[in-house]
Coordinates of all heavy atoms in Angstrom, one line a residue:
P541 N 21.8 -13.8 4.7 CA 21.8 -15.1 5.4 C 21.2 -14.9 6.8 O 21.4 -13.8 7.4 CB 23.3 -15.5 5.5 CG 24.0 -14.2 5.3 CD 23.1 -13.3 4.5
D542 N 20.5 -15.8 7.3 CA 20.0 -15.8 8.7 C 19.1 -14.6 9.0 O 19.2 -14.0 10.1 CB 21.2 -15.9 9.7 CG 22.0 -17.1 9.5 OD1 21.4 -18.2 9.2 OD2 23.2 -17.1 9.6
L543 N 18.3 -14.2 8.1 CA 17.3 -13.1 8.3 C 16.4 -13.5 9.5 O 15.8 -14.6 9.4 CB 16.5 -12.9 7.0 CG 15.6 -11.7 7.1 CD1 16.3 -10.4 7.2 CD2 14.7 -11.6 5.8
P544 N 16.3 -12.7 10.5 CA 15.4 -13.0 11.6 C 13.9 -13.2 11.2 O 13.5 -12.4 10.3 CB 15.6 -11.8 12.6 CG 16.9 -11.2 12.2 CD 17.0 -11.4 10.7
M545 N 13.3 -14.1 11.8 CA 11.9 -14.4 11.5 C 11.0 -13.2 11.7 O 10.1 -12.9 10.9 CB 11.4 -15.6 12.3 CG 9.9 -16.0 11.9 SD 9.7 -16.4 10.2 CE 10.5 -17.9 10.1
I546 N 11.3 -12.3 12.6 CA 10.5 -11.1 12.9 C 10.6 -10.2 11.7 O 9.6 -9.5 11.4 CB 11.0 -10.4 14.2 CG1 10.0 -9.3 14.6 CG2 12.4 -9.8 14.1 CD1 8.7 -9.9 15.2
Q547 N 11.7 -10.1 11.0 CA 11.8 -9.3 9.8 C 11.0 -9.8 8.7 O 10.4 -9.1 7.9 CB 13.2 -9.0 9.4 CG 13.9 -8.1 10.4 CD 15.4 -7.8 10.0 OE1 16.0 -8.6 9.3 NE2 15.8 -6.6 10.3
I548 N 11.0 -11.2 8.5 CA 10.2 -11.8 7.5 C 8.7 -11.6 7.7 O 8.0 -11.2 6.8 CB 10.5 -13.3 7.4 CG1 12.0 -13.5 6.9 CG2 9.5 -14.1 6.5 CD1 12.4 -15.0 7.1
E549 N 8.3 -11.7 9.0 CA 6.9 -11.5 9.3 C 6.5 -10.0 9.1 O 5.4 -9.8 8.7 CB 6.7 -11.9 10.8 CG 6.8 -13.4 11.0 CD 6.8 -13.8 12.5 OE1 6.8 -12.9 13.4 OE2 6.7 -15.0 12.7
A550 N 7.4 -9.1 9.4 CA 7.1 -7.7 9.2 C 6.9 -7.4 7.7 O 6.0 -6.7 7.3 CB 8.2 -6.8 9.8
A551 N 7.8 -8.0 6.9 CA 7.7 -7.8 5.5 C 6.4 -8.3 4.9 O 5.7 -7.7 4.1 CB 8.9 -8.4 4.7
E552 N 6.0 -9.5 5.5 CA 4.7 -10.1 5.0 C 3.5 -9.3 5.4 O 2.5 -9.2 4.7 CB 4.6 -11.6 5.6 CG 5.5 -12.5 4.9 CD 5.3 -12.6 3.4 OE1 4.2 -12.6 2.9 OE2 6.4 -12.6 2.7
L553 N 3.6 -8.7 6.6 CA 2.5 -7.8 7.0 C 2.4 -6.6 6.1 O 1.3 -6.2 5.7 CB 2.8 -7.3 8.5 CG 1.8 -6.3 9.0 CD1 0.4 -6.9 9.1 CD2 2.3 -5.7 10.4
V554 N 3.5 -6.0 5.7 CA 3.5 -4.9 4.7 C 2.9 -5.4 3.4 O 2.1 -4.7 2.8 CB 4.9 -4.3 4.6 CG1 4.9 -3.2 3.4 CG2 5.4 -3.7 5.9
W555 N 3.3 -6.6 2.9 CA 2.8 -7.1 1.7 C 1.3 -7.2 1.7 O 0.6 -6.9 0.8 CB 3.5 -8.4 1.3 CG 4.7 -8.2 0.6 CD1 6.0 -8.7 0.9 CD2 4.9 -7.5 -0.7 NE1 6.9 -8.3 0.0 CE2 6.3 -7.6 -1.0 CE3 4.1 -6.8 -1.5 CZ2 6.9 -7.0 -2.1 CZ3 4.6 -6.2 -2.7 CH2 6.0 -6.3 -3.0
R556 N 0.8 -7.8 2.9 CA -0.7 -7.9 3.0 C -1.4 -6.6 2.9 O -2.4 -6.5 2.2 CB -1.0 -8.6 4.3 CG -0.8 -10.1 4.3 CD -1.5 -10.8 5.4 NE -0.9 -10.5 6.7 CZ 0.1 -11.0 7.3 NH1 0.8 -12.0 6.7 NH2 0.5 -10.6 8.5
K557 N -0.8 -5.6 3.5 CA -1.4 -4.2 3.4 C -1.3 -3.7 2.0 O -2.3 -3.1 1.5 CB -0.8 -3.3 4.4 CG -1.1 -3.6 5.9 CD -0.7 -2.6 6.8 CE -1.2 -2.9 8.2 NZ -2.5 -2.6 8.5
L558 N -0.2 -3.9 1.4 CA 0.0 -3.4 0.0 C -1.0 -4.1 -1.0 O -1.6 -3.5 -1.9 CB 1.4 -3.5 -0.5 CG 2.4 -2.6 0.2 CD1 3.9 -2.9 -0.2 CD2 2.1 -1.1 -0.1
D559 N -1.1 -5.4 -0.8 CA -2.0 -6.2 -1.6 C -3.4 -5.7 -1.5 O -4.2 -5.6 -2.4 CB -1.9 -7.7 -1.3 CG -0.6 -8.3 -1.8 OD1 0.0 -7.8 -2.7 OD2 -0.3 -9.4 -1.3
S560 N -3.8 -5.4 -0.2 CA -5.2 -4.9 0.0 C -5.3 -3.5 -0.7 O -6.4 -3.3 -1.3 CB -5.4 -4.8 1.5 OG -6.6 -4.2 1.8
L561 N -4.3 -2.7 -0.5 CA -4.4 -1.4 -1.2 C -4.5 -1.5 -2.7 O -5.4 -0.9 -3.4 CB -3.1 -0.5 -0.8 CG -3.0 0.8 -1.5 CD1 -4.0 1.8 -1.0 CD2 -1.6 1.4 -1.3
L562 N -3.7 -2.4 -3.3 CA -3.7 -2.6 -4.7 C -5.1 -3.1 -5.2 O -5.6 -2.8 -6.3 CB -2.6 -3.6 -5.2 CG -1.2 -3.0 -5.2 CD1 -0.2 -4.1 -5.5 CD2 -1.1 -1.9 -6.1
S563 N -5.7 -4.0 -4.4 CA -7.0 -4.6 -4.8 C -8.1 -3.5 -4.9 O -9.0 -3.6 -5.8 CB -7.4 -5.7 -3.8 OG -7.8 -5.2 -2.6
G564 N -7.9 -2.4 -4.2 CA -8.9 -1.3 -4.3 C -8.8 -0.6 -5.6 O -9.7 0.1 -6.1
F565 N -7.6 -0.8 -6.3 CA -7.4 -0.2 -7.6 C -7.5 -1.3 -8.7 O -7.1 -1.1 -9.9 CB -6.0 0.4 -7.7 CG -5.9 1.7 -6.9 CD1 -5.3 1.6 -5.6 CD2 -6.4 2.9 -7.3 CE1 -5.2 2.7 -4.8 CE2 -6.3 4.0 -6.5 CZ -5.7 4.0 -5.3
N566 N -8.0 -2.5 -8.4 CA -8.1 -3.6 -9.3 C -6.8 -4.0 -9.8 O -6.6 -4.5 -11.0 CB -9.1 -3.3 -10.5 CG -10.5 -3.1 -10.0 OD1 -11.0 -4.0 -9.4 ND2 -11.1 -1.9 -10.4
L567 N -5.7 -3.9 -9.0 CA -4.4 -4.3 -9.4 C -3.9 -5.5 -8.5 O -4.3 -5.6 -7.3 CB -3.4 -3.2 -9.2 CG -3.5 -2.0 -10.2 CD1 -2.7 -0.8 -9.7 CD2 -2.9 -2.5 -11.5
E568 N -3.1 -6.3 -9.0 CA -2.5 -7.4 -8.3 C -1.1 -7.6 -8.8 O -0.8 -7.5 -10.0 CB -3.3 -8.7 -8.6 CG -2.8 -9.9 -7.8 CD -3.6 -11.2 -8.1 OE1 -4.7 -11.1 -8.6 OE2 -3.0 -12.2 -7.8
I569 N -0.1 -7.7 -7.8 CA 1.3 -7.9 -8.2 C 1.6 -9.4 -8.4 O 1.1 -10.2 -7.6 CB 2.2 -7.2 -7.1 CG1 3.6 -7.2 -7.6 CG2 2.0 -7.9 -5.8 CD1 4.5 -6.3 -6.8

């Protein structure tokens, strides 16, 4: 409950980087 927005934004930043990494291997989650 009440997860700070900064943590949500940090997780989204990691997801963007992971999605970019996966795309180099022709993978998508």
